Short mmCIF file of all heavy atoms in Angstrom, two decimals:
data_model
loop_
_atom_site.label_atom_id
_atom_site.label_comp_id
_atom_site.label_asym_id
_atom_site.label_seq_id
_atom_site.Cartn_x
_atom_site.Cartn_y
_atom_site.Cartn_z
N MET L 20 3.30 21.92 4.77
CA MET L 20 2.92 20.46 4.77
C MET L 20 4.04 19.73 5.55
O MET L 20 5.22 19.95 5.33
CB MET L 20 2.91 20.07 3.28
CG MET L 20 2.46 18.63 3.10
SD MET L 20 2.36 18.07 1.40
CE MET L 20 1.29 19.15 0.59
N ASN L 21 3.60 18.84 6.37
CA ASN L 21 4.57 18.07 7.21
C ASN L 21 5.05 16.87 6.41
O ASN L 21 4.57 16.56 5.33
CB ASN L 21 4.03 17.71 8.57
CG ASN L 21 2.86 16.71 8.50
OD1 ASN L 21 2.81 15.85 7.65
ND2 ASN L 21 1.92 16.89 9.36
N LEU L 22 6.04 16.18 6.97
CA LEU L 22 6.66 15.04 6.30
C LEU L 22 5.67 13.95 6.03
O LEU L 22 5.69 13.36 4.94
CB LEU L 22 7.80 14.48 7.20
CG LEU L 22 8.67 13.42 6.59
CD1 LEU L 22 9.31 13.90 5.31
CD2 LEU L 22 9.72 12.99 7.59
N LYS L 23 4.75 13.64 6.91
CA LYS L 23 3.76 12.61 6.75
C LYS L 23 2.82 12.91 5.57
O LYS L 23 2.47 12.09 4.73
CB LYS L 23 3.00 12.33 7.98
CG LYS L 23 1.98 11.20 7.90
CD LYS L 23 1.26 10.91 9.18
CE LYS L 23 0.30 9.75 9.07
NZ LYS L 23 -0.41 9.51 10.25
N GLU L 24 2.38 14.14 5.53
CA GLU L 24 1.46 14.62 4.42
C GLU L 24 2.20 14.53 3.08
O GLU L 24 1.61 14.17 2.08
CB GLU L 24 0.99 16.05 4.70
CG GLU L 24 0.01 16.12 5.90
CD GLU L 24 -0.25 17.54 6.25
OE1 GLU L 24 0.48 18.48 5.94
OE2 GLU L 24 -1.29 17.78 6.94
N GLU L 25 3.49 14.95 3.08
CA GLU L 25 4.29 14.90 1.84
C GLU L 25 4.39 13.45 1.36
O GLU L 25 4.26 13.17 0.19
CB GLU L 25 5.67 15.49 2.07
CG GLU L 25 5.68 16.96 2.16
CD GLU L 25 7.07 17.53 2.42
OE1 GLU L 25 8.06 16.87 2.03
OE2 GLU L 25 7.19 18.65 3.00
N PHE L 26 4.70 12.57 2.34
CA PHE L 26 4.85 11.13 1.96
C PHE L 26 3.53 10.59 1.40
O PHE L 26 3.53 9.89 0.41
CB PHE L 26 5.29 10.33 3.22
CG PHE L 26 5.30 8.83 2.92
CD1 PHE L 26 6.28 8.29 2.16
CD2 PHE L 26 4.29 8.07 3.46
CE1 PHE L 26 6.29 6.93 1.92
CE2 PHE L 26 4.28 6.67 3.24
CZ PHE L 26 5.29 6.14 2.47
N ASN L 27 2.43 10.86 2.07
CA ASN L 27 1.15 10.40 1.60
C ASN L 27 0.74 10.94 0.26
O ASN L 27 0.21 10.19 -0.55
CB ASN L 27 0.04 10.68 2.63
CG ASN L 27 0.11 9.82 3.87
OD1 ASN L 27 0.62 8.70 3.85
ND2 ASN L 27 -0.35 10.27 4.98
N GLU L 28 1.06 12.15 -0.02
CA GLU L 28 0.79 12.72 -1.31
C GLU L 28 1.66 12.04 -2.39
O GLU L 28 1.22 11.71 -3.45
CB GLU L 28 1.09 14.23 -1.35
CG GLU L 28 0.75 14.90 -2.65
CD GLU L 28 0.87 16.41 -2.60
OE1 GLU L 28 0.57 17.02 -1.56
OE2 GLU L 28 1.29 16.97 -3.61
N TYR L 29 2.93 11.84 -2.08
CA TYR L 29 3.86 11.20 -3.02
C TYR L 29 3.40 9.74 -3.29
O TYR L 29 3.36 9.28 -4.38
CB TYR L 29 5.24 11.22 -2.38
CG TYR L 29 6.33 10.46 -3.18
CD1 TYR L 29 6.72 10.94 -4.42
CD2 TYR L 29 6.84 9.31 -2.72
CE1 TYR L 29 7.65 10.28 -5.19
CE2 TYR L 29 7.82 8.63 -3.47
CZ TYR L 29 8.24 9.11 -4.69
OH TYR L 29 9.20 8.47 -5.40
N ARG L 30 2.98 9.04 -2.23
CA ARG L 30 2.51 7.68 -2.35
C ARG L 30 1.22 7.61 -3.17
O ARG L 30 1.08 6.69 -4.04
CB ARG L 30 2.27 7.05 -0.97
CG ARG L 30 1.98 5.59 -0.98
CD ARG L 30 1.79 4.99 0.40
NE ARG L 30 0.71 5.67 1.12
CZ ARG L 30 -0.58 5.35 0.97
NH1 ARG L 30 -0.91 4.40 0.18
NH2 ARG L 30 -1.50 5.97 1.71
N SER L 31 0.36 8.57 -3.09
CA SER L 31 -0.84 8.65 -3.84
C SER L 31 -0.52 8.80 -5.32
O SER L 31 -1.13 8.15 -6.16
CB SER L 31 -1.72 9.81 -3.33
OG SER L 31 -2.90 9.95 -4.13
N GLN L 32 0.48 9.66 -5.61
CA GLN L 32 0.88 9.83 -7.00
C GLN L 32 1.50 8.55 -7.56
O GLN L 32 1.19 8.21 -8.72
CB GLN L 32 1.91 10.96 -7.14
CG GLN L 32 1.36 12.33 -6.82
CD GLN L 32 2.43 13.41 -6.74
OE1 GLN L 32 3.56 13.14 -6.77
NE2 GLN L 32 1.93 14.66 -6.64
N ILE L 33 2.27 7.90 -6.81
CA ILE L 33 2.83 6.59 -7.22
C ILE L 33 1.70 5.60 -7.49
O ILE L 33 1.73 4.84 -8.48
CB ILE L 33 3.86 6.07 -6.21
CG1 ILE L 33 5.13 6.94 -6.25
CG2 ILE L 33 4.22 4.60 -6.53
CD1 ILE L 33 6.05 6.55 -5.12
N SER L 34 0.78 5.52 -6.58
CA SER L 34 -0.35 4.57 -6.78
C SER L 34 -1.12 4.89 -8.05
O SER L 34 -1.43 3.96 -8.81
CB SER L 34 -1.35 4.74 -5.58
OG SER L 34 -0.77 4.31 -4.43
N ASP L 35 -1.37 6.12 -8.33
CA ASP L 35 -2.07 6.49 -9.58
C ASP L 35 -1.28 6.01 -10.81
O ASP L 35 -1.84 5.50 -11.75
CB ASP L 35 -2.28 8.01 -9.60
CG ASP L 35 -3.33 8.52 -8.63
OD1 ASP L 35 -4.06 7.60 -8.01
OD2 ASP L 35 -3.33 9.67 -8.34
N ASN L 36 0.04 6.21 -10.76
CA ASN L 36 0.90 5.82 -11.86
C ASN L 36 0.90 4.27 -12.05
O ASN L 36 0.82 3.78 -13.15
CB ASN L 36 2.35 6.32 -11.70
CG ASN L 36 2.47 7.81 -11.81
OD1 ASN L 36 1.60 8.45 -12.43
ND2 ASN L 36 3.54 8.38 -11.26
N ILE L 37 0.96 3.56 -10.93
CA ILE L 37 1.00 2.09 -10.95
C ILE L 37 -0.34 1.57 -11.52
O ILE L 37 -0.35 0.74 -12.40
CB ILE L 37 1.35 1.50 -9.61
CG1 ILE L 37 2.79 1.81 -9.25
CG2 ILE L 37 1.06 0.00 -9.59
CD1 ILE L 37 3.17 1.48 -7.85
N LEU L 38 -1.42 2.11 -10.99
CA LEU L 38 -2.75 1.65 -11.43
C LEU L 38 -3.03 1.98 -12.90
O LEU L 38 -3.80 1.30 -13.53
CB LEU L 38 -3.81 2.15 -10.48
CG LEU L 38 -3.79 1.55 -9.09
CD1 LEU L 38 -4.77 2.29 -8.19
CD2 LEU L 38 -4.08 0.06 -9.08
N ALA L 39 -2.45 3.08 -13.36
CA ALA L 39 -2.65 3.48 -14.75
C ALA L 39 -2.02 2.43 -15.75
O ALA L 39 -2.42 2.42 -16.91
CB ALA L 39 -2.04 4.86 -14.99
N GLN L 40 -1.17 1.60 -15.26
CA GLN L 40 -0.53 0.58 -16.14
C GLN L 40 -1.48 -0.59 -16.41
O GLN L 40 -1.17 -1.41 -17.24
CB GLN L 40 0.79 0.08 -15.48
CG GLN L 40 1.82 1.13 -15.39
CD GLN L 40 3.07 0.62 -14.72
OE1 GLN L 40 3.32 -0.55 -14.57
NE2 GLN L 40 3.88 1.56 -14.31
N ASP L 41 -2.58 -0.64 -15.73
CA ASP L 41 -3.65 -1.62 -15.94
C ASP L 41 -3.15 -3.07 -15.84
O ASP L 41 -3.45 -3.90 -16.69
CB ASP L 41 -4.32 -1.42 -17.29
CG ASP L 41 -5.71 -2.01 -17.40
OD1 ASP L 41 -6.32 -2.15 -16.33
OD2 ASP L 41 -6.11 -2.38 -18.50
N ASN L 42 -2.37 -3.37 -14.77
CA ASN L 42 -1.82 -4.67 -14.51
C ASN L 42 -2.80 -5.40 -13.58
O ASN L 42 -3.02 -4.93 -12.42
CB ASN L 42 -0.46 -4.63 -13.93
CG ASN L 42 0.16 -5.95 -13.65
OD1 ASN L 42 -0.36 -6.66 -12.86
ND2 ASN L 42 1.31 -6.20 -14.29
N LYS L 43 -3.38 -6.48 -13.98
CA LYS L 43 -4.41 -7.18 -13.20
C LYS L 43 -3.91 -7.62 -11.84
O LYS L 43 -4.55 -7.48 -10.80
CB LYS L 43 -4.96 -8.38 -13.96
CG LYS L 43 -6.13 -9.07 -13.24
CD LYS L 43 -6.57 -10.30 -13.95
CE LYS L 43 -7.46 -9.89 -15.16
NZ LYS L 43 -8.08 -11.06 -15.79
N VAL L 44 -2.71 -8.19 -11.73
CA VAL L 44 -2.13 -8.67 -10.54
C VAL L 44 -1.94 -7.53 -9.56
O VAL L 44 -2.33 -7.60 -8.37
CB VAL L 44 -0.85 -9.47 -10.73
CG1 VAL L 44 -0.12 -9.80 -9.43
CG2 VAL L 44 -1.07 -10.70 -11.58
N THR L 45 -1.32 -6.45 -10.00
CA THR L 45 -1.08 -5.26 -9.20
C THR L 45 -2.40 -4.69 -8.68
O THR L 45 -2.49 -4.36 -7.53
CB THR L 45 -0.28 -4.21 -9.99
OG1 THR L 45 0.93 -4.82 -10.44
CG2 THR L 45 0.06 -3.02 -9.09
N LYS L 46 -3.40 -4.62 -9.56
CA LYS L 46 -4.69 -4.07 -9.10
C LYS L 46 -5.29 -4.95 -8.05
O LYS L 46 -5.95 -4.49 -7.07
CB LYS L 46 -5.66 -3.93 -10.30
CG LYS L 46 -5.31 -2.75 -11.13
CD LYS L 46 -6.40 -2.54 -12.20
CE LYS L 46 -6.10 -1.26 -12.95
NZ LYS L 46 -7.11 -0.88 -13.88
N ARG L 47 -5.12 -6.25 -8.10
CA ARG L 47 -5.68 -7.15 -7.07
C ARG L 47 -4.99 -6.90 -5.76
O ARG L 47 -5.65 -7.00 -4.71
CB ARG L 47 -5.54 -8.62 -7.52
CG ARG L 47 -6.53 -9.00 -8.59
CD ARG L 47 -6.41 -10.45 -8.96
NE ARG L 47 -7.44 -10.75 -9.93
CZ ARG L 47 -7.43 -11.80 -10.73
NH1 ARG L 47 -6.44 -12.66 -10.57
NH2 ARG L 47 -8.37 -11.98 -11.58
N ILE L 48 -3.71 -6.67 -5.83
CA ILE L 48 -2.97 -6.37 -4.55
C ILE L 48 -3.45 -5.10 -3.95
O ILE L 48 -3.76 -5.01 -2.75
CB ILE L 48 -1.43 -6.35 -4.82
CG1 ILE L 48 -0.93 -7.70 -5.18
CG2 ILE L 48 -0.68 -5.78 -3.62
CD1 ILE L 48 0.51 -7.75 -5.72
N PHE L 49 -3.64 -4.07 -4.84
CA PHE L 49 -4.13 -2.74 -4.38
C PHE L 49 -5.51 -2.87 -3.83
O PHE L 49 -5.96 -2.12 -2.92
CB PHE L 49 -4.11 -1.71 -5.48
CG PHE L 49 -2.77 -1.02 -5.62
CD1 PHE L 49 -1.64 -1.72 -6.10
CD2 PHE L 49 -2.66 0.29 -5.35
CE1 PHE L 49 -0.43 -1.09 -6.26
CE2 PHE L 49 -1.40 0.96 -5.46
CZ PHE L 49 -0.31 0.25 -5.92
N ASP L 50 -6.34 -3.80 -4.34
CA ASP L 50 -7.73 -3.93 -3.93
C ASP L 50 -7.96 -4.87 -2.72
O ASP L 50 -9.08 -5.24 -2.40
CB ASP L 50 -8.58 -4.38 -5.12
CG ASP L 50 -8.83 -3.36 -6.15
OD1 ASP L 50 -8.60 -2.16 -5.81
OD2 ASP L 50 -9.14 -3.69 -7.27
N LEU L 51 -6.90 -5.22 -2.05
CA LEU L 51 -6.99 -6.17 -0.93
C LEU L 51 -8.04 -5.69 0.09
O LEU L 51 -8.84 -6.49 0.54
CB LEU L 51 -5.65 -6.36 -0.27
CG LEU L 51 -5.63 -7.29 0.92
CD1 LEU L 51 -5.97 -8.72 0.50
CD2 LEU L 51 -4.23 -7.26 1.59
N ASP L 52 -8.03 -4.41 0.38
CA ASP L 52 -9.00 -3.91 1.34
C ASP L 52 -10.44 -4.09 0.91
O ASP L 52 -11.30 -4.39 1.73
CB ASP L 52 -8.77 -2.42 1.65
CG ASP L 52 -7.54 -2.18 2.50
OD1 ASP L 52 -7.16 -3.10 3.24
OD2 ASP L 52 -6.95 -1.06 2.37
N THR L 53 -10.70 -4.03 -0.38
CA THR L 53 -12.05 -4.14 -0.92
C THR L 53 -12.50 -5.56 -0.91
O THR L 53 -13.54 -5.90 -0.42
CB THR L 53 -12.06 -3.55 -2.35
OG1 THR L 53 -11.64 -2.24 -2.37
CG2 THR L 53 -13.49 -3.66 -2.92
N TYR L 54 -11.72 -6.48 -1.50
CA TYR L 54 -12.22 -7.85 -1.63
C TYR L 54 -11.99 -8.70 -0.42
O TYR L 54 -12.49 -9.77 -0.33
CB TYR L 54 -11.72 -8.51 -2.97
CG TYR L 54 -10.26 -8.88 -3.02
CD1 TYR L 54 -9.71 -9.96 -2.36
CD2 TYR L 54 -9.40 -8.09 -3.82
CE1 TYR L 54 -8.35 -10.23 -2.47
CE2 TYR L 54 -8.09 -8.40 -3.90
CZ TYR L 54 -7.59 -9.45 -3.25
OH TYR L 54 -6.25 -9.78 -3.39
N ALA L 55 -11.19 -8.24 0.56
CA ALA L 55 -11.00 -8.94 1.80
C ALA L 55 -11.79 -8.33 2.88
O ALA L 55 -11.66 -8.70 4.05
CB ALA L 55 -9.51 -9.07 2.12
N ASN L 56 -12.57 -7.30 2.65
CA ASN L 56 -13.26 -6.55 3.65
C ASN L 56 -14.13 -7.45 4.57
O ASN L 56 -14.99 -8.14 4.08
CB ASN L 56 -14.11 -5.44 3.02
CG ASN L 56 -14.55 -4.40 3.99
OD1 ASN L 56 -14.01 -4.36 5.11
ND2 ASN L 56 -15.55 -3.66 3.62
N GLY L 57 -13.79 -7.44 5.82
CA GLY L 57 -14.59 -8.25 6.82
C GLY L 57 -14.08 -9.64 6.96
O GLY L 57 -14.41 -10.30 7.88
N ASN L 58 -13.28 -10.13 6.01
CA ASN L 58 -12.78 -11.49 6.08
C ASN L 58 -11.37 -11.63 6.68
O ASN L 58 -11.04 -12.69 7.21
CB ASN L 58 -12.82 -12.13 4.73
CG ASN L 58 -14.16 -12.20 4.12
OD1 ASN L 58 -15.07 -12.62 4.77
ND2 ASN L 58 -14.28 -11.90 2.84
N ILE L 59 -10.66 -10.56 6.62
CA ILE L 59 -9.28 -10.51 7.19
C ILE L 59 -9.18 -9.28 8.08
O ILE L 59 -9.54 -8.21 7.69
CB ILE L 59 -8.23 -10.47 6.05
CG1 ILE L 59 -8.36 -11.67 5.07
CG2 ILE L 59 -6.84 -10.39 6.62
CD1 ILE L 59 -7.46 -11.56 3.89
N ASP L 60 -8.65 -9.49 9.29
CA ASP L 60 -8.48 -8.36 10.16
C ASP L 60 -7.46 -7.35 9.62
O ASP L 60 -6.64 -7.70 8.76
CB ASP L 60 -8.08 -8.80 11.57
CG ASP L 60 -6.71 -9.47 11.61
OD1 ASP L 60 -6.71 -10.72 11.29
OD2 ASP L 60 -5.76 -8.81 11.86
N ILE L 61 -7.56 -6.12 10.07
CA ILE L 61 -6.71 -5.04 9.51
C ILE L 61 -5.25 -5.28 9.69
O ILE L 61 -4.46 -5.01 8.81
CB ILE L 61 -7.16 -3.62 10.11
CG1 ILE L 61 -6.51 -2.47 9.37
CG2 ILE L 61 -6.91 -3.59 11.61
CD1 ILE L 61 -6.91 -2.31 7.99
N THR L 62 -4.82 -5.85 10.82
CA THR L 62 -3.40 -6.10 11.03
C THR L 62 -2.90 -7.14 10.02
O THR L 62 -1.81 -6.91 9.46
CB THR L 62 -3.19 -6.60 12.45
OG1 THR L 62 -3.64 -5.65 13.42
CG2 THR L 62 -1.70 -6.83 12.73
N SER L 63 -3.64 -8.16 9.78
CA SER L 63 -3.24 -9.15 8.79
C SER L 63 -3.16 -8.51 7.40
O SER L 63 -2.25 -8.83 6.64
CB SER L 63 -4.24 -10.36 8.83
OG SER L 63 -4.17 -11.04 10.03
N LYS L 64 -4.15 -7.68 7.04
CA LYS L 64 -4.16 -7.04 5.72
C LYS L 64 -2.90 -6.17 5.63
O LYS L 64 -2.27 -6.16 4.56
CB LYS L 64 -5.39 -6.17 5.57
CG LYS L 64 -6.60 -6.95 5.25
CD LYS L 64 -7.71 -6.02 4.76
CE LYS L 64 -8.76 -5.80 5.76
NZ LYS L 64 -9.93 -5.02 5.30
N GLU L 65 -2.55 -5.45 6.66
CA GLU L 65 -1.36 -4.60 6.58
C GLU L 65 -0.08 -5.47 6.49
O GLU L 65 0.84 -5.09 5.74
CB GLU L 65 -1.28 -3.69 7.78
CG GLU L 65 -2.29 -2.60 7.80
CD GLU L 65 -2.28 -1.68 6.60
OE1 GLU L 65 -1.20 -1.53 5.88
OE2 GLU L 65 -3.35 -1.14 6.22
N MET L 66 -0.05 -6.59 7.17
CA MET L 66 1.13 -7.44 7.06
C MET L 66 1.20 -8.10 5.66
O MET L 66 2.29 -8.21 5.12
CB MET L 66 1.12 -8.50 8.19
CG MET L 66 1.28 -7.85 9.54
SD MET L 66 1.46 -9.06 10.87
CE MET L 66 3.13 -9.52 10.58
N ILE L 67 0.09 -8.42 5.08
CA ILE L 67 0.06 -8.92 3.73
C ILE L 67 0.58 -7.85 2.77
O ILE L 67 1.41 -8.07 1.86
CB ILE L 67 -1.28 -9.43 3.28
CG1 ILE L 67 -1.63 -10.72 4.06
CG2 ILE L 67 -1.38 -9.72 1.77
CD1 ILE L 67 -3.09 -11.12 4.01
N GLY L 68 0.07 -6.65 2.99
CA GLY L 68 0.55 -5.48 2.16
C GLY L 68 1.98 -5.25 2.27
O GLY L 68 2.72 -4.93 1.29
N LEU L 69 2.51 -5.37 3.53
CA LEU L 69 3.94 -5.21 3.74
C LEU L 69 4.73 -6.28 3.02
O LEU L 69 5.71 -5.94 2.35
CB LEU L 69 4.21 -5.26 5.28
CG LEU L 69 5.73 -5.20 5.68
CD1 LEU L 69 6.35 -3.91 5.22
CD2 LEU L 69 5.84 -5.40 7.19
N ALA L 70 4.32 -7.52 3.12
CA ALA L 70 5.03 -8.61 2.46
C ALA L 70 5.01 -8.41 0.92
O ALA L 70 6.02 -8.59 0.24
CB ALA L 70 4.40 -9.93 2.77
N CYS L 71 3.86 -8.03 0.36
CA CYS L 71 3.79 -7.79 -1.13
C CYS L 71 4.70 -6.62 -1.49
O CYS L 71 5.41 -6.72 -2.48
CB CYS L 71 2.33 -7.50 -1.54
SG CYS L 71 1.25 -8.92 -1.34
N SER L 72 4.63 -5.58 -0.73
CA SER L 72 5.50 -4.42 -1.01
C SER L 72 6.99 -4.75 -0.99
O SER L 72 7.77 -4.28 -1.79
CB SER L 72 5.22 -3.26 -0.02
OG SER L 72 3.87 -2.89 -0.10
N MET L 73 7.32 -5.58 -0.03
CA MET L 73 8.75 -6.01 0.08
C MET L 73 9.12 -6.86 -1.11
O MET L 73 10.18 -6.73 -1.69
CB MET L 73 9.01 -6.74 1.39
CG MET L 73 8.87 -5.83 2.64
SD MET L 73 8.98 -6.76 4.18
CE MET L 73 10.67 -7.18 4.18
N GLY L 74 8.24 -7.81 -1.47
CA GLY L 74 8.47 -8.67 -2.58
C GLY L 74 8.61 -7.92 -3.88
O GLY L 74 9.43 -8.28 -4.78
N LEU L 75 7.80 -6.90 -4.03
CA LEU L 75 7.80 -6.08 -5.28
C LEU L 75 8.80 -4.96 -5.22
O LEU L 75 8.97 -4.22 -6.21
CB LEU L 75 6.38 -5.56 -5.57
CG LEU L 75 5.32 -6.61 -5.84
CD1 LEU L 75 3.94 -5.97 -5.84
CD2 LEU L 75 5.61 -7.28 -7.18
N ARG L 76 9.42 -4.77 -4.07
CA ARG L 76 10.46 -3.76 -3.85
C ARG L 76 9.85 -2.33 -4.02
O ARG L 76 10.52 -1.47 -4.61
CB ARG L 76 11.66 -4.01 -4.66
CG ARG L 76 12.34 -5.27 -4.34
CD ARG L 76 13.57 -5.53 -5.15
NE ARG L 76 14.16 -6.76 -4.76
CZ ARG L 76 15.17 -7.30 -5.38
NH1 ARG L 76 15.68 -6.69 -6.42
NH2 ARG L 76 15.63 -8.46 -4.99
N PHE L 77 8.65 -2.13 -3.54
CA PHE L 77 8.04 -0.82 -3.57
C PHE L 77 8.35 -0.14 -2.21
O PHE L 77 7.62 -0.27 -1.26
CB PHE L 77 6.49 -0.87 -3.72
CG PHE L 77 6.00 -1.35 -5.04
CD1 PHE L 77 4.73 -1.84 -5.16
CD2 PHE L 77 6.78 -1.25 -6.16
CE1 PHE L 77 4.27 -2.26 -6.42
CE2 PHE L 77 6.29 -1.69 -7.43
CZ PHE L 77 5.01 -2.18 -7.54
N ASP L 78 9.50 0.51 -2.19
CA ASP L 78 10.01 1.10 -0.92
C ASP L 78 9.03 2.00 -0.23
O ASP L 78 8.88 1.96 0.97
CB ASP L 78 11.34 1.84 -1.16
CG ASP L 78 12.44 0.86 -1.50
OD1 ASP L 78 12.34 -0.34 -1.29
OD2 ASP L 78 13.46 1.37 -2.08
N GLU L 79 8.35 2.86 -1.00
CA GLU L 79 7.42 3.76 -0.41
C GLU L 79 6.27 3.03 0.28
O GLU L 79 5.76 3.41 1.33
CB GLU L 79 6.84 4.72 -1.43
CG GLU L 79 7.90 5.72 -1.96
CD GLU L 79 8.88 5.17 -2.94
OE1 GLU L 79 8.58 4.09 -3.52
OE2 GLU L 79 9.91 5.79 -3.19
N TYR L 80 5.84 1.88 -0.32
CA TYR L 80 4.73 1.10 0.26
C TYR L 80 5.22 0.30 1.47
O TYR L 80 4.47 0.10 2.36
CB TYR L 80 4.09 0.23 -0.78
CG TYR L 80 3.28 1.11 -1.70
CD1 TYR L 80 3.85 1.65 -2.84
CD2 TYR L 80 2.00 1.44 -1.40
CE1 TYR L 80 3.11 2.45 -3.68
CE2 TYR L 80 1.24 2.23 -2.21
CZ TYR L 80 1.78 2.75 -3.37
OH TYR L 80 1.07 3.62 -4.17
N VAL L 81 6.54 -0.10 1.42
CA VAL L 81 7.08 -0.78 2.60
C VAL L 81 6.98 0.15 3.80
O VAL L 81 6.52 -0.19 4.86
CB VAL L 81 8.55 -1.27 2.36
CG1 VAL L 81 9.22 -1.70 3.63
CG2 VAL L 81 8.59 -2.33 1.32
N LYS L 82 7.40 1.47 3.61
CA LYS L 82 7.31 2.44 4.68
C LYS L 82 5.84 2.64 5.14
O LYS L 82 5.59 2.68 6.35
CB LYS L 82 7.88 3.75 4.18
CG LYS L 82 9.34 3.73 3.93
CD LYS L 82 9.82 5.06 3.33
CE LYS L 82 11.21 4.97 2.83
NZ LYS L 82 11.65 6.18 2.10
N HIS L 83 4.97 2.73 4.19
CA HIS L 83 3.50 2.90 4.52
C HIS L 83 3.02 1.76 5.36
O HIS L 83 2.38 1.97 6.39
CB HIS L 83 2.71 3.08 3.19
CG HIS L 83 1.24 2.97 3.44
ND1 HIS L 83 0.51 3.95 3.98
CD2 HIS L 83 0.39 1.93 3.19
CE1 HIS L 83 -0.76 3.58 4.08
NE2 HIS L 83 -0.86 2.35 3.55
N HIS L 84 3.28 0.54 4.90
CA HIS L 84 2.71 -0.62 5.59
C HIS L 84 3.40 -0.89 6.94
O HIS L 84 2.83 -1.41 7.91
CB HIS L 84 2.76 -1.85 4.73
CG HIS L 84 1.73 -1.81 3.63
ND1 HIS L 84 0.32 -1.85 3.84
CD2 HIS L 84 1.87 -1.70 2.26
CE1 HIS L 84 -0.27 -1.76 2.68
NE2 HIS L 84 0.60 -1.67 1.73
N LEU L 85 4.70 -0.52 7.03
CA LEU L 85 5.38 -0.65 8.29
C LEU L 85 4.73 0.29 9.31
O LEU L 85 4.47 -0.10 10.48
CB LEU L 85 6.84 -0.25 8.17
CG LEU L 85 7.82 -1.31 7.74
CD1 LEU L 85 9.18 -0.66 7.46
CD2 LEU L 85 7.89 -2.44 8.75
N GLY L 86 4.38 1.52 8.90
CA GLY L 86 3.65 2.46 9.76
C GLY L 86 2.31 1.92 10.13
O GLY L 86 1.93 2.06 11.32
N LYS L 87 1.56 1.41 9.23
CA LYS L 87 0.24 0.88 9.50
C LYS L 87 0.28 -0.37 10.40
O LYS L 87 -0.51 -0.50 11.28
CB LYS L 87 -0.51 0.53 8.24
CG LYS L 87 -0.90 1.70 7.43
CD LYS L 87 -1.95 2.53 8.13
CE LYS L 87 -2.48 3.61 7.24
NZ LYS L 87 -3.55 4.37 7.90
N CYS L 88 1.33 -1.23 10.22
CA CYS L 88 1.47 -2.37 11.06
C CYS L 88 1.78 -1.93 12.52
O CYS L 88 1.27 -2.50 13.46
CB CYS L 88 2.62 -3.28 10.58
SG CYS L 88 2.20 -4.26 9.15
N HIS L 89 2.60 -0.92 12.67
CA HIS L 89 2.89 -0.35 13.96
C HIS L 89 1.64 0.20 14.57
O HIS L 89 1.41 -0.02 15.82
CB HIS L 89 4.00 0.73 13.83
CG HIS L 89 4.37 1.32 15.12
ND1 HIS L 89 5.10 0.67 16.14
CD2 HIS L 89 4.06 2.56 15.65
CE1 HIS L 89 5.22 1.48 17.13
NE2 HIS L 89 4.64 2.61 16.91
N GLU L 90 0.89 0.97 13.83
CA GLU L 90 -0.39 1.52 14.37
C GLU L 90 -1.40 0.47 14.86
O GLU L 90 -2.06 0.69 15.84
CB GLU L 90 -1.05 2.41 13.30
CG GLU L 90 -0.43 3.69 13.04
CD GLU L 90 -1.11 4.46 11.87
OE1 GLU L 90 -2.26 4.08 11.48
OE2 GLU L 90 -0.45 5.43 11.30
N THR L 91 -1.49 -0.63 14.12
CA THR L 91 -2.45 -1.66 14.46
C THR L 91 -1.94 -2.70 15.48
O THR L 91 -2.68 -3.51 15.90
CB THR L 91 -2.95 -2.38 13.23
OG1 THR L 91 -1.89 -3.13 12.64
CG2 THR L 91 -3.61 -1.45 12.22
N GLY L 92 -0.70 -2.53 15.82
CA GLY L 92 -0.14 -3.47 16.82
C GLY L 92 0.48 -4.67 16.28
O GLY L 92 0.69 -5.69 16.87
#
């Protein structure tokens, strides 16, 4: 397994743990792609995700959204 796959697996486990806490605000942040689908472009969604991750100090998600922001330009 390469570093990117390891990171994505680790991030998936963290997501499952966070969502298991049943926090409405956190779930809304995680569901941004679903409820903003078609209304916000992907780059903006990733930048919002980055800002939220930074504010919540979710380092793994900061890394994830930085990568996605870079991919989308």
